[in-house]
Amino acid sequence: MNPPKFPLLSRLFHWVMAILVVTMLYVGVGMVSTTSPRYHQLLTAHESIGILILVLVALRLINRILNPPPPLPADLPSWQRALAKSSHVLLYALMFALPLVGWCMLSAAEYPIRLFDTLRLPSILPPDPHVFARLRAAHTVLAFTLFAVFLAHLGAALFHGLMRKDGVLRSMS
Amino acid sequence: MTQDAVRPDGDAAAAFFALLRGHPGQTLAIALVIAAFVLSFGYVGGFFSSTRLSPNRFVDALEANSGHFPGFRRAHSKGICFSGGFVASSAARSLSSATVFDGSLVPLIGRFALANGNPYSNDAKTPVRSMALSLRPAHGDEWRMANNGTPGLPFGTPEAFYQLVLAGTPDPRTGKPDPEKMRQYVAAHPEFTAFGERLKAHPFSSGFADDSYGGIDGFIFVAPDGTRRLVRWSMQSEDPFTSFSPAQAEGKSANYAFEDLIARVARGPVKWKLVATLAEPGDPNVATELWPEERRHVELGEVTVDHVESEAPGNCRDVNFDPLTLPSGIEPSDDPLPFARSAVYSTSFRRRAGESKTPSAVAGQSVSSPQ
């Protein structure tokens, strides 16, 4: 019997965004650690991909509402069910929050933002260094949180695929 | 009763761990995958490196060298804000497609500063000055510059600058830099001595208005036809040059250069020519080496400063003059310094943005030129 699968569009969103989000986490942690020419290249890529993720996650949320995910296995313990649900809420919240906080903090710091070397992004907050400082700190905390939630998500996916063999991993592949 | 309340969770956890124990190979595989991500993330972030020159290490070194002055820039700390305009020449348009060169009046803000890390420095003891600019066309990309009043720099790489900062840092035991460390630095960096010679041959100006300021680093100008040229630019003062002498500052306040500037702007607008120097093939693109005098110079336009005011919320105080905030039509080159400057300024800005502010040395001033 074939286990239920995510719709094709949902799987496409998942894997494209998985690559983008994980790449962004590495780009972010790498760029703030260097004074080499890579700093500028990574920063430019970070800003562009960040806004791309914001657009994609909004579309993805709409798609999720229109094409709901398949149900979890009926025999999944309730605590794992609750963890799965809350970690997905957290993943979506962080995928929205990180680019928005990034955009807000660059606005508050009066940094112009140019995407893919062409598109100028408007400022969405009035200049204020204290607001920038808080948002900049929040951006780091949220990014490390997202990395931790990603690891939990990855571990859980492998747990389903390798141990429970309950079709949850296959539903996204 | 408490026992009953926790038992379902306890059972669930016990069942979960029993499942893990029943699949030791798979459990190990999952642990290894997660460990690989954690370790590679830490590697990329430099968490295991004691040698990577991160912007945080750099700014730590600047603070150790100059002292920690909360709320102020970690370098070029004593400054004053200005505003004015820029009008480009038609020659500029043929070199770069940047909107700032379209020939219209481009509003600008900027900041004059002393080139050291103490916001209360004595002007007469710090005759190296800087002029930062932010050109803000109504429609088009902003262009920020951080220009310096020196003939090139004593270092060409971020590593050399970092070592220089360390060598000049006071020893906590004596309160003074260790002369042996400086001797070692100078011996290892002949470009430092060469810079000292150039500095001797290049008299300091009496103040901000008659000083000239170079962009120091090489950048690429992209012409409307796509031609890419390596250039350096400089702000050439239109006020007649008067050479600085310590005697002239005798009996004047520690803020004499700033006070003179305020008085100068009150008399009328101060102007600079923005001049590009075009590299020839083979010219060294490193800040320790000047290009030959006979290189082609192109006047890009004129900068007018007609207002100065003390650093305050919302003016130049809260702007990071990141030299890589470039408009479309101007790009970074392979000169390594601007990348490090960009990263380090950003960290300096992040730190000071969150700190409470105290008034600058030159406070409460606001003067405009008569129209």
Side-chain angles (χ1 to χ4, degrees):
Chain A
M1 181 195 96
N2 283 331
K5 269 189 164 272
F6 277 86
L8 179 63
L9 185 59
S10 307
R11 278 178 280 152
L12 206 60
F13 267 123
H14 173 270
W15 288 108
V16 169
M17 289 197 68
I19 292 167
L20 290 177
V21 168
V22 173
T23 303
M24 276 296 271
L25 290 165
Y26 279 81
V27 166
V29 80
M31 75 186 192
V32 297
S33 79
T34 182
T35 46
S36 77
R38 279 194 295 272
Y39 167 77
H40 184 67
Q41 297 160 354
L42 292 173
L43 177 63
T44 309
H46 193 82
E47 292 174 354
S48 299
I49 300 173
I51 297 299
L52 179 63
I53 287 176
L54 181 61
V55 172
L56 286 177
V57 75
L59 296 174
R60 186 178 177 186
L61 186 63
I62 296 168
N63 172 66
R64 191 185 170 96
I65 293 162
L66 299 178
N67 299 305
L72 288 165
D75 65 340
L76 197 67
S78 60
W79 68 276
Q80 289 184 31
R81 193 175 288 275
L83 266 185
K85 195 169 172 59
S86 54
S87 67
H88 283 96
V89 171
L90 199 52
L91 278 172
Y92 270 87
L94 289 167
M95 286 191 291
F96 273 105
L98 270 156
L100 278 174
V101 167
W103 188 356
C104 285
M105 79 190 196
L106 293 179
S107 300
E110 286 190 80
Y111 285 118
I113 314 174
R114 204 165 71 218
L115 303 182
F116 302 103
D117 219 25
T118 47
L119 184 68
R120 268 191 306 277
L121 214 55
S123 168
I124 52 172
L125 273 190
D128 186 324
H130 286 283
V131 170
F132 164 73
R134 296 224 173 99
L135 291 174
R136 177 64 188 77
H139 196 70
T140 301
V141 172
L142 291 173
F144 278 93
T145 309
L146 180 53
F147 188 64
V149 181
F150 154 66
L151 292 178
H153 181 79
L154 174 69
L158 293 174
F159 168 72
H160 282 281
L162 299 178
M163 292 190 205
R164 282 185 54 92
K165 300 195 171 94
D166 56 8
V168 167
L169 180 59
R170 250 186 301 158
S171 70
M172 191 46 102
S173 56
Chain B
M1 192 193 114
T2 334
Q3 283 289 330
D4 283 353
V6 295
R7 193 178 298 151
D9 281 349
D11 282 353
F16 176 68
F17 286 115
L19 188 59
L20 295 190
R21 272 197 301 277
H23 298 78
Q26 289 92 329
T27 304
L28 182 66
I30 294 173
L32 286 178
V33 169
I34 290 176
F37 272 101
V38 171
L39 290 176
S40 58
F41 193 69
Y43 170 77
V44 171
F47 301 142
F48 314 124
S49 167
S50 57
T51 53
R52 188 181 303 180
L53 187 48
S54 70
N56 269 320
R57 274 182 77 201
F58 214 117
V59 176
D60 287 345
L62 291 173
E63 289 176 2
N65 182 295
S66 305
H68 180 50
F69 300 96
F72 289 97
R73 282 169 168 80
R74 273 31 176 184
H76 299 232
S77 313
K78 182 181 183 181
I80 194 166
C81 298
F82 64 80
S83 57
F86 170 74
V87 178
S89 68
S90 55
R93 282 194 286 290
S94 65
L95 285 181
S96 165
S97 57
T99 328
V100 291
F101 293 140
D102 69 2
S104 63
L105 175 64
V106 177
L108 63 84
I109 68 157
R111 184 173 177 273
F112 287 111
L114 302 185
N116 71 2
N118 185 328
Y120 309 105
S121 294
N122 185 321
D123 296 356
K125 298 202 169 103
T126 316
V128 180
R129 310 183 192 96
S130 64
M131 181 184 195
L133 285 164
S134 160
L135 272 51
R136 300 174 161 184
H139 307 285
D141 295 330
E142 186 179 340
W143 181 19
R144 295 185 188 176
M145 293 175 250
N147 305 310
N148 248 333
T150 54
L153 286 179
F155 46 82
T157 63
E159 290 74 21
F161 184 24
Y162 180 68
Q163 295 303 329
L164 179 60
V165 171
L166 291 187
T169 296
D171 187 316
R173 282 166 304 180
T174 61
K176 287 190 179 128
D178 179 353
E180 182 51 34
K181 280 189 184 160
M182 196 47 118
R183 258 196 298 278
Q184 283 172 9
Y185 180 87
V186 172
H189 295 88
E191 69 274 18
F192 182 81
T193 310
F195 174 79
E197 296 298 321
R198 282 206 301 276
L199 219 46
K200 266 185 225 158
H202 165 100
F204 289 113
S205 76
S206 62
F208 286 107
D210 63 336
D211 210 342
S212 294
Y213 306 86
I216 293 187
D217 292 298
F219 290 84
I220 304 288
F221 273 22
V222 186
D225 67 4
T227 309
R228 302 167 65 82
R229 293 182 181 86
L230 176 63
V231 309
R232 287 174 178 167
W233 61 74
S234 66
M235 314 279 311
Q236 301 289 337
S237 161
E238 292 182 26
D239 272 21
F241 176 87
T242 318
S243 111
F244 168 83
S245 72
Q248 130 209 0
E250 203 67 39
K252 287 193 179 176
S253 91
N255 302 328
Y256 94 88
F258 288 90
E259 287 159 4
D260 285 2
L261 173 72
I262 293 164
R264 172 66 187 79
V265 170
R267 285 200 302 278
V270 197
K271 294 182 179 185
W272 283 264
K273 292 256 186 276
L274 179 59
V275 178
T277 305
L278 276 51
E280 293 284 333
D283 282 345
N285 189 19
V286 56
T288 49
E289 308 256 4
L290 300 188
W291 293 342
E293 214 19 69
E294 64 269 20
R295 288 289 172 267
R296 200 180 138 209
H297 297 284
V298 177
E299 227 179 86
L300 298 175
E302 191 177 52
V303 165
T304 301
V305 171
D306 56 14
H307 176 80
V308 283
E309 63 182 41
S310 298
E311 291 182 302
N315 65 15
C316 82
R317 188 196 74 172
D318 297 337
V319 173
N320 173 10
F321 292 95
D322 177 343
L324 289 188
T325 298
L326 298 170
S328 178
I330 304 179
E331 295 174 8
S333 67
D334 59 0
D335 182 336
L337 272 187
F339 304 103
R341 292 170 77 191
S342 182
V344 172
Y345 290 16
S346 162
T347 294
S348 162
F349 182 76
R350 175 171 57 77
R351 290 193 188 180
R352 70 188 175 87
E355 295 165 345
S356 59
K357 308 288 186 198
T358 45
S360 304
V362 183
Q365 300 285 336
S366 179
V367 165
S368 295
S369 303
Q371 288 306 306

